[in-house]
Amino acid sequence: MYSMPRSQDLEKLNILHIDMDAFYASVEERDNFNLKGKPVIVGGLSNHGIVTTANYEARKYGIHSAMPIFIARIKCPNGIYIRPRMHRYREVSREIFNILYDITSLIEQVSVDEAYLDISQLGRDPIEVSQKIKEIVMRDIGLTMSIGISYNKFLAKLASDWNKPNGIKIISQDMVPDILLPLPVKSVHGIGPKSAKKLNNIGIYTVRDLMYLTEEFLVDLFGKQGGEIYYRIRGIDNREINTERERKSLGTEITFSHDTKDKEVLKTYIRTFATEISESLKQKRLHGRTITLKIKYGDFTVKTRGRTLMEEVDDEKIIYETGVSLLDEMDLNESIRLIGLTVSNLSPSTMEQLSLFS
Ligand SMILES: [Mg+2]
């Protein structure tokens, strides 16, 4: 299932790329037992619709994402065609990320079903960590994923793609030439179909061919991106994991369809916002100290009022009560067009994160 790296490499293999397998289709299958084993295609169902995700059964018919749905219907007339339910996918995604945040808070969420994790702080065998993640997500959510392990993001992503679905793949430093050199140029992250064509036109088909080109030549050809490509194909990628922890604030606001001065209505929104923000803080393992209420009046003037608390909080009740007491300080004689609530001054909560392994 995976190739063993030399043990001295293990400590450097800190970056995981996690990618759920055929995510939208898998969620549909999980939610509807009747779909098990059948070709499931999620996508726009109109004449101009395209395939968003096909499950592995449907891929046997040659169906893939971005294919026009009418072609998919010709190739696979017996397929089950489903309109995307984004709300549901985001819900399942949140559950998955909750599990990931139990492992580490050093997470860069790329999309609903894709993330980079930096597990250097765990001091654990990356294979053990990966197996644990797969096991828990399967047990609690019932879905499979593929995990790539390496020492930078480019290689980790390449690795997760390697043995989809349901795989774990390591790319260690000594494997880089064997893995990278034979690849077609289009599989290098940063080289799209257009760039690939440009390269093919000058006789460059594989990464091996690409290695003959100087950095200057690549920059001339692709601009700044060319420089990145030059280093990537040599296994060098210094991009950091962009954790959301670095976000300065978490908040939400709403513009009313009809202006209001009704305090009870405004309080209802503050309650909803407090619940959302609190959930989001807890999921991201963050606490905040400053709570800010923003109001926009009918004449578009904006007023904000904030309070910094003694303690860092993630509790919805405290956020709500602070929001309401800020509202009490506002002028409510004019009708209000927009209300928003933000928690800032964020810092990571100190939590036992290794509990999963004990
Ligand atoms: Mg995926």
PDB file of all heavy atoms in Angstrom, residues 97 101 105-111 116 241-250 280 283-284 286 346:
ATOM      1  N   PHE A  97     -13.433  17.999   9.171  1.00  0.00           N
ATOM      2  CA  PHE A  97     -12.412  18.922   9.680  1.00  0.00           C
ATOM      3  C   PHE A  97     -12.373  18.931  11.206  1.00  0.00           C
ATOM      4  O   PHE A  97     -11.318  19.135  11.794  1.00  0.00           O
ATOM      5  CB  PHE A  97     -12.584  20.324   9.093  1.00  0.00           C
ATOM      6  CG  PHE A  97     -11.932  20.450   7.742  1.00  0.00           C
ATOM      7  CD1 PHE A  97     -12.626  20.168   6.579  1.00  0.00           C
ATOM      8  CD2 PHE A  97     -10.588  20.787   7.636  1.00  0.00           C
ATOM      9  CE1 PHE A  97     -12.018  20.240   5.329  1.00  0.00           C
ATOM     10  CE2 PHE A  97      -9.965  20.881   6.397  1.00  0.00           C
ATOM     11  CZ  PHE A  97     -10.676  20.604   5.234  1.00  0.00           C
ATOM     12  N   TYR A 101      -8.955  18.617  13.149  1.00  0.00           N
ATOM     13  CA  TYR A 101      -8.497  19.575  14.165  1.00  0.00           C
ATOM     14  C   TYR A 101      -8.242  18.899  15.512  1.00  0.00           C
ATOM     15  O   TYR A 101      -7.585  19.479  16.369  1.00  0.00           O
ATOM     16  CB  TYR A 101      -9.487  20.736  14.315  1.00  0.00           C
ATOM     17  CG  TYR A 101      -9.308  21.808  13.266  1.00  0.00           C
ATOM     18  CD1 TYR A 101     -10.212  21.936  12.217  1.00  0.00           C
ATOM     19  CD2 TYR A 101      -8.216  22.675  13.299  1.00  0.00           C
ATOM     20  CE1 TYR A 101     -10.038  22.907  11.231  1.00  0.00           C
ATOM     21  CE2 TYR A 101      -8.029  23.645  12.328  1.00  0.00           C
ATOM     22  CZ  TYR A 101      -8.944  23.755  11.298  1.00  0.00           C
ATOM     23  OH  TYR A 101      -8.769  24.705  10.330  1.00  0.00           O
ATOM     24  N   SER A 105      -3.770  21.606  14.913  1.00  0.00           N
ATOM     25  CA  SER A 105      -4.420  22.835  14.444  1.00  0.00           C
ATOM     26  C   SER A 105      -3.660  23.432  13.268  1.00  0.00           C
ATOM     27  O   SER A 105      -4.071  24.441  12.713  1.00  0.00           O
ATOM     28  CB  SER A 105      -4.542  23.844  15.584  1.00  0.00           C
ATOM     29  OG  SER A 105      -3.278  24.058  16.160  1.00  0.00           O
ATOM     30  N   LEU A 106      -2.544  22.810  12.893  1.00  0.00           N
ATOM     31  CA  LEU A 106      -1.777  23.320  11.748  1.00  0.00           C
ATOM     32  C   LEU A 106      -2.374  22.760  10.454  1.00  0.00           C
ATOM     33  O   LEU A 106      -1.857  21.824   9.863  1.00  0.00           O
ATOM     34  CB  LEU A 106      -0.305  22.937  11.867  1.00  0.00           C
ATOM     35  CG  LEU A 106       0.444  23.594  13.026  1.00  0.00           C
ATOM     36  CD1 LEU A 106       1.886  23.119  13.091  1.00  0.00           C
ATOM     37  CD2 LEU A 106       0.393  25.108  12.914  1.00  0.00           C
ATOM     38  N   ILE A 107      -3.493  23.321  10.068  1.00  0.00           N
ATOM     39  CA  ILE A 107      -4.244  22.824   8.920  1.00  0.00           C
ATOM     40  C   ILE A 107      -4.476  23.950   7.924  1.00  0.00           C
ATOM     41  O   ILE A 107      -4.852  25.051   8.309  1.00  0.00           O
ATOM     42  CB  ILE A 107      -5.611  22.261   9.369  1.00  0.00           C
ATOM     43  CG1 ILE A 107      -5.397  21.052  10.281  1.00  0.00           C
ATOM     44  CG2 ILE A 107      -6.476  21.905   8.155  1.00  0.00           C
ATOM     45  CD1 ILE A 107      -6.674  20.421  10.773  1.00  0.00           C
ATOM     46  N   GLU A 108      -4.233  23.667   6.669  1.00  0.00           N
ATOM     47  CA  GLU A 108      -4.622  24.599   5.608  1.00  0.00           C
ATOM     48  C   GLU A 108      -5.746  23.958   4.823  1.00  0.00           C
ATOM     49  O   GLU A 108      -5.557  22.954   4.141  1.00  0.00           O
ATOM     50  CB  GLU A 108      -3.429  24.889   4.679  1.00  0.00           C
ATOM     51  CG  GLU A 108      -3.815  25.782   3.502  1.00  0.00           C
ATOM     52  CD  GLU A 108      -2.617  26.138   2.615  1.00  0.00           C
ATOM     53  OE1 GLU A 108      -1.467  26.024   3.076  1.00  0.00           O
ATOM     54  OE2 GLU A 108      -2.853  26.523   1.455  1.00  0.00           O
ATOM     55  N   GLN A 109      -6.931  24.546   4.954  1.00  0.00           N
ATOM     56  CA  GLN A 109      -8.085  23.999   4.248  1.00  0.00           C
ATOM     57  C   GLN A 109      -8.076  24.525   2.818  1.00  0.00           C
ATOM     58  O   GLN A 109      -8.172  25.724   2.594  1.00  0.00           O
ATOM     59  CB  GLN A 109      -9.363  24.421   4.972  1.00  0.00           C
ATOM     60  CG  GLN A 109     -10.578  23.770   4.378  1.00  0.00           C
ATOM     61  CD  GLN A 109     -11.783  23.831   5.308  1.00  0.00           C
ATOM     62  OE1 GLN A 109     -11.711  24.318   6.426  1.00  0.00           O
ATOM     63  NE2 GLN A 109     -12.912  23.333   4.819  1.00  0.00           N
ATOM     64  N   VAL A 110      -7.950  23.622   1.845  1.00  0.00           N
ATOM     65  CA  VAL A 110      -7.864  24.038   0.451  1.00  0.00           C
ATOM     66  C   VAL A 110      -9.269  24.127  -0.154  1.00  0.00           C
ATOM     67  O   VAL A 110      -9.578  25.023  -0.919  1.00  0.00           O
ATOM     68  CB  VAL A 110      -6.995  23.056  -0.363  1.00  0.00           C
ATOM     69  CG1 VAL A 110      -6.876  23.510  -1.806  1.00  0.00           C
ATOM     70  CG2 VAL A 110      -5.612  22.920   0.259  1.00  0.00           C
ATOM     71  N   SER A 111     -10.116  23.184   0.206  1.00  0.00           N
ATOM     72  CA  SER A 111     -11.505  23.187  -0.273  1.00  0.00           C
ATOM     73  C   SER A 111     -12.332  22.355   0.692  1.00  0.00           C
ATOM     74  O   SER A 111     -11.825  21.937   1.731  1.00  0.00           O
ATOM     75  CB  SER A 111     -11.573  22.589  -1.685  1.00  0.00           C
ATOM     76  OG  SER A 111     -11.279  21.213  -1.625  1.00  0.00           O
ATOM     77  N   TYR A 116      -4.097  20.489   3.703  1.00  0.00           N
ATOM     78  CA  TYR A 116      -2.721  20.163   4.082  1.00  0.00           C
ATOM     79  C   TYR A 116      -2.625  20.191   5.603  1.00  0.00           C
ATOM     80  O   TYR A 116      -3.183  21.076   6.243  1.00  0.00           O
ATOM     81  CB  TYR A 116      -1.737  21.190   3.523  1.00  0.00           C
ATOM     82  CG  TYR A 116      -1.595  21.179   2.024  1.00  0.00           C
ATOM     83  CD1 TYR A 116      -2.225  22.143   1.245  1.00  0.00           C
ATOM     84  CD2 TYR A 116      -0.808  20.228   1.400  1.00  0.00           C
ATOM     85  CE1 TYR A 116      -2.085  22.146  -0.134  1.00  0.00           C
ATOM     86  CE2 TYR A 116      -0.660  20.220   0.019  1.00  0.00           C
ATOM     87  CZ  TYR A 116      -1.303  21.183  -0.737  1.00  0.00           C
ATOM     88  OH  TYR A 116      -1.163  21.184  -2.097  1.00  0.00           O
ATOM     89  N   ILE A 241       2.389  25.967   5.350  1.00  0.00           N
ATOM     90  CA  ILE A 241       0.994  25.637   5.590  1.00  0.00           C
ATOM     91  C   ILE A 241       0.299  26.895   6.092  1.00  0.00           C
ATOM     92  O   ILE A 241       0.707  27.478   7.089  1.00  0.00           O
ATOM     93  CB  ILE A 241       0.874  24.543   6.678  1.00  0.00           C
ATOM     94  CG1 ILE A 241       1.632  23.292   6.266  1.00  0.00           C
ATOM     95  CG2 ILE A 241      -0.569  24.255   7.017  1.00  0.00           C
ATOM     96  CD1 ILE A 241       0.972  22.464   5.219  1.00  0.00           C
ATOM     97  N   ASN A 242      -0.704  27.327   5.365  1.00  0.00           N
ATOM     98  CA  ASN A 242      -1.403  28.560   5.682  1.00  0.00           C
ATOM     99  C   ASN A 242      -2.548  28.295   6.635  1.00  0.00           C
ATOM    100  O   ASN A 242      -3.663  28.042   6.207  1.00  0.00           O
ATOM    101  CB  ASN A 242      -1.983  29.090   4.379  1.00  0.00           C
ATOM    102  CG  ASN A 242      -1.526  30.475   4.120  1.00  0.00           C
ATOM    103  OD1 ASN A 242      -1.302  31.233   5.060  1.00  0.00           O
ATOM    104  ND2 ASN A 242      -1.377  30.798   2.848  1.00  0.00           N
ATOM    105  N   THR A 243      -2.292  28.329   7.928  1.00  0.00           N
ATOM    106  CA  THR A 243      -3.362  27.955   8.863  1.00  0.00           C
ATOM    107  C   THR A 243      -4.335  29.107   9.032  1.00  0.00           C
ATOM    108  O   THR A 243      -3.947  30.267   9.021  1.00  0.00           O
ATOM    109  CB  THR A 243      -2.792  27.615  10.247  1.00  0.00           C
ATOM    110  OG1 THR A 243      -2.103  28.762  10.705  1.00  0.00           O
ATOM    111  CG2 THR A 243      -1.839  26.460  10.162  1.00  0.00           C
ATOM    112  N   GLU A 244      -5.579  28.751   9.218  1.00  0.00           N
ATOM    113  CA  GLU A 244      -6.593  29.782   9.426  1.00  0.00           C
ATOM    114  C   GLU A 244      -6.439  30.421  10.789  1.00  0.00           C
ATOM    115  O   GLU A 244      -7.045  31.434  11.077  1.00  0.00           O
ATOM    116  CB  GLU A 244      -7.991  29.181   9.319  1.00  0.00           C
ATOM    117  CG  GLU A 244      -8.326  28.875   7.882  1.00  0.00           C
ATOM    118  CD  GLU A 244      -9.776  28.538   7.746  1.00  0.00           C
ATOM    119  OE1 GLU A 244     -10.581  29.477   7.847  1.00  0.00           O
ATOM    120  OE2 GLU A 244     -10.091  27.367   7.572  1.00  0.00           O
ATOM    121  N   ARG A 245      -5.617  29.774  11.625  1.00  0.00           N
ATOM    122  CA  ARG A 245      -5.336  30.306  12.943  1.00  0.00           C
ATOM    123  C   ARG A 245      -4.802  31.729  12.827  1.00  0.00           C
ATOM    124  O   ARG A 245      -4.974  32.548  13.700  1.00  0.00           O
ATOM    125  CB  ARG A 245      -4.300  29.393  13.595  1.00  0.00           C
ATOM    126  CG  ARG A 245      -3.658  29.957  14.812  1.00  0.00           C
ATOM    127  CD  ARG A 245      -2.339  29.290  15.047  1.00  0.00           C
ATOM    128  NE  ARG A 245      -2.538  27.965  15.614  1.00  0.00           N
ATOM    129  CZ  ARG A 245      -1.658  27.404  16.415  1.00  0.00           C
ATOM    130  NH1 ARG A 245      -0.556  28.010  16.731  1.00  0.00           N
ATOM    131  NH2 ARG A 245      -1.871  26.199  16.900  1.00  0.00           N
ATOM    132  N   GLU A 246      -4.116  32.006  11.705  1.00  0.00           N
ATOM    133  CA  GLU A 246      -3.559  33.342  11.524  1.00  0.00           C
ATOM    134  C   GLU A 246      -4.630  34.372  11.190  1.00  0.00           C
ATOM    135  O   GLU A 246      -4.349  35.549  11.087  1.00  0.00           O
ATOM    136  CB  GLU A 246      -2.494  33.324  10.418  1.00  0.00           C
ATOM    137  CG  GLU A 246      -1.181  32.761  10.931  1.00  0.00           C
ATOM    138  CD  GLU A 246      -0.352  32.139   9.834  1.00  0.00           C
ATOM    139  OE1 GLU A 246      -0.568  32.500   8.664  1.00  0.00           O
ATOM    140  OE2 GLU A 246       0.480  31.284  10.156  1.00  0.00           O
ATOM    141  N   ARG A 247      -5.841  33.934  11.012  1.00  0.00           N
ATOM    142  CA  ARG A 247      -6.913  34.890  10.756  1.00  0.00           C
ATOM    143  C   ARG A 247      -7.049  35.811  11.946  1.00  0.00           C
ATOM    144  O   ARG A 247      -6.929  35.419  13.083  1.00  0.00           O
ATOM    145  CB  ARG A 247      -8.222  34.144  10.527  1.00  0.00           C
ATOM    146  CG  ARG A 247      -8.359  33.697   9.099  1.00  0.00           C
ATOM    147  CD  ARG A 247      -9.557  32.846   8.943  1.00  0.00           C
ATOM    148  NE  ARG A 247     -10.788  33.598   9.206  1.00  0.00           N
ATOM    149  CZ  ARG A 247     -11.960  33.197   8.759  1.00  0.00           C
ATOM    150  NH1 ARG A 247     -12.050  32.092   8.070  1.00  0.00           N
ATOM    151  NH2 ARG A 247     -13.042  33.892   9.011  1.00  0.00           N
ATOM    152  N   LYS A 248      -7.342  37.059  11.656  1.00  0.00           N
ATOM    153  CA  LYS A 248      -7.376  38.037  12.727  1.00  0.00           C
ATOM    154  C   LYS A 248      -8.734  38.111  13.404  1.00  0.00           C
ATOM    155  O   LYS A 248      -8.843  38.523  14.530  1.00  0.00           O
ATOM    156  CB  LYS A 248      -6.979  39.393  12.171  1.00  0.00           C
ATOM    157  CG  LYS A 248      -5.569  39.349  11.629  1.00  0.00           C
ATOM    158  CD  LYS A 248      -4.888  40.680  11.762  1.00  0.00           C
ATOM    159  CE  LYS A 248      -3.390  40.570  11.541  1.00  0.00           C
ATOM    160  NZ  LYS A 248      -3.043  39.762  10.376  1.00  0.00           N
ATOM    161  N   SER A 249      -9.764  37.702  12.691  1.00  0.00           N
ATOM    162  CA  SER A 249     -11.085  37.777  13.296  1.00  0.00           C
ATOM    163  C   SER A 249     -12.018  36.758  12.666  1.00  0.00           C
ATOM    164  O   SER A 249     -11.750  36.228  11.589  1.00  0.00           O
ATOM    165  CB  SER A 249     -11.671  39.175  13.104  1.00  0.00           C
ATOM    166  OG  SER A 249     -11.917  39.382  11.737  1.00  0.00           O
ATOM    167  N   LEU A 250     -13.101  36.494  13.370  1.00  0.00           N
ATOM    168  CA  LEU A 250     -14.150  35.621  12.844  1.00  0.00           C
ATOM    169  C   LEU A 250     -15.453  36.356  13.034  1.00  0.00           C
ATOM    170  O   LEU A 250     -15.745  36.820  14.134  1.00  0.00           O
ATOM    171  CB  LEU A 250     -14.200  34.331  13.664  1.00  0.00           C
ATOM    172  CG  LEU A 250     -13.381  33.150  13.195  1.00  0.00           C
ATOM    173  CD1 LEU A 250     -13.536  32.028  14.192  1.00  0.00           C
ATOM    174  CD2 LEU A 250     -13.828  32.697  11.824  1.00  0.00           C
ATOM    175  N   SER A 280     -17.543  27.968  15.080  1.00  0.00           N
ATOM    176  CA  SER A 280     -16.381  28.141  14.229  1.00  0.00           C
ATOM    177  C   SER A 280     -15.095  28.256  15.059  1.00  0.00           C
ATOM    178  O   SER A 280     -14.059  27.681  14.706  1.00  0.00           O
ATOM    179  CB  SER A 280     -16.644  29.383  13.388  1.00  0.00           C
ATOM    180  OG  SER A 280     -15.697  29.537  12.423  1.00  0.00           O
ATOM    181  N   GLN A 283     -14.301  24.778  16.370  1.00  0.00           N
ATOM    182  CA  GLN A 283     -13.778  23.899  15.336  1.00  0.00           C
ATOM    183  C   GLN A 283     -12.326  24.214  15.032  1.00  0.00           C
ATOM    184  O   GLN A 283     -11.511  23.330  14.830  1.00  0.00           O
ATOM    185  CB  GLN A 283     -14.605  24.024  14.051  1.00  0.00           C
ATOM    186  CG  GLN A 283     -14.207  22.941  13.059  1.00  0.00           C
ATOM    187  CD  GLN A 283     -14.693  23.216  11.666  1.00  0.00           C
ATOM    188  OE1 GLN A 283     -14.692  24.335  11.197  1.00  0.00           O
ATOM    189  NE2 GLN A 283     -15.100  22.174  10.994  1.00  0.00           N
ATOM    190  N   LYS A 284     -12.003  25.501  15.026  1.00  0.00           N
ATOM    191  CA  LYS A 284     -10.642  25.907  14.682  1.00  0.00           C
ATOM    192  C   LYS A 284      -9.741  25.954  15.899  1.00  0.00           C
ATOM    193  O   LYS A 284      -8.587  26.379  15.795  1.00  0.00           O
ATOM    194  CB  LYS A 284     -10.677  27.261  13.981  1.00  0.00           C
ATOM    195  CG  LYS A 284     -11.460  27.200  12.683  1.00  0.00           C
ATOM    196  CD  LYS A 284     -11.406  28.489  11.909  1.00  0.00           C
ATOM    197  CE  LYS A 284     -11.956  28.291  10.511  1.00  0.00           C
ATOM    198  NZ  LYS A 284     -13.428  28.292  10.469  1.00  0.00           N
ATOM    199  N   LEU A 286      -9.824  27.895  18.503  1.00  0.00           N
ATOM    200  CA  LEU A 286      -9.418  29.271  18.763  1.00  0.00           C
ATOM    201  C   LEU A 286     -10.257  29.863  19.884  1.00  0.00           C
ATOM    202  O   LEU A 286     -11.380  29.422  20.142  1.00  0.00           O
ATOM    203  CB  LEU A 286      -9.623  30.130  17.505  1.00  0.00           C
ATOM    204  CG  LEU A 286      -8.713  29.876  16.307  1.00  0.00           C
ATOM    205  CD1 LEU A 286      -9.248  30.589  15.083  1.00  0.00           C
ATOM    206  CD2 LEU A 286      -7.289  30.305  16.601  1.00  0.00           C
ATOM    207  N   LEU A 346      -7.657  36.849  18.289  1.00  0.00           N
ATOM    208  CA  LEU A 346      -7.757  35.394  18.358  1.00  0.00           C
ATOM    209  C   LEU A 346      -6.434  34.755  18.769  1.00  0.00           C
ATOM    210  O   LEU A 346      -5.363  35.247  18.422  1.00  0.00           O
ATOM    211  CB  LEU A 346      -8.170  34.822  16.996  1.00  0.00           C
ATOM    212  CG  LEU A 346      -9.461  35.363  16.393  1.00  0.00           C
ATOM    213  CD1 LEU A 346      -9.757  34.685  15.066  1.00  0.00           C
ATOM    214  CD2 LEU A 346     -10.625  35.181  17.358  1.00  0.00           C
TER     215      LEU A 346
END
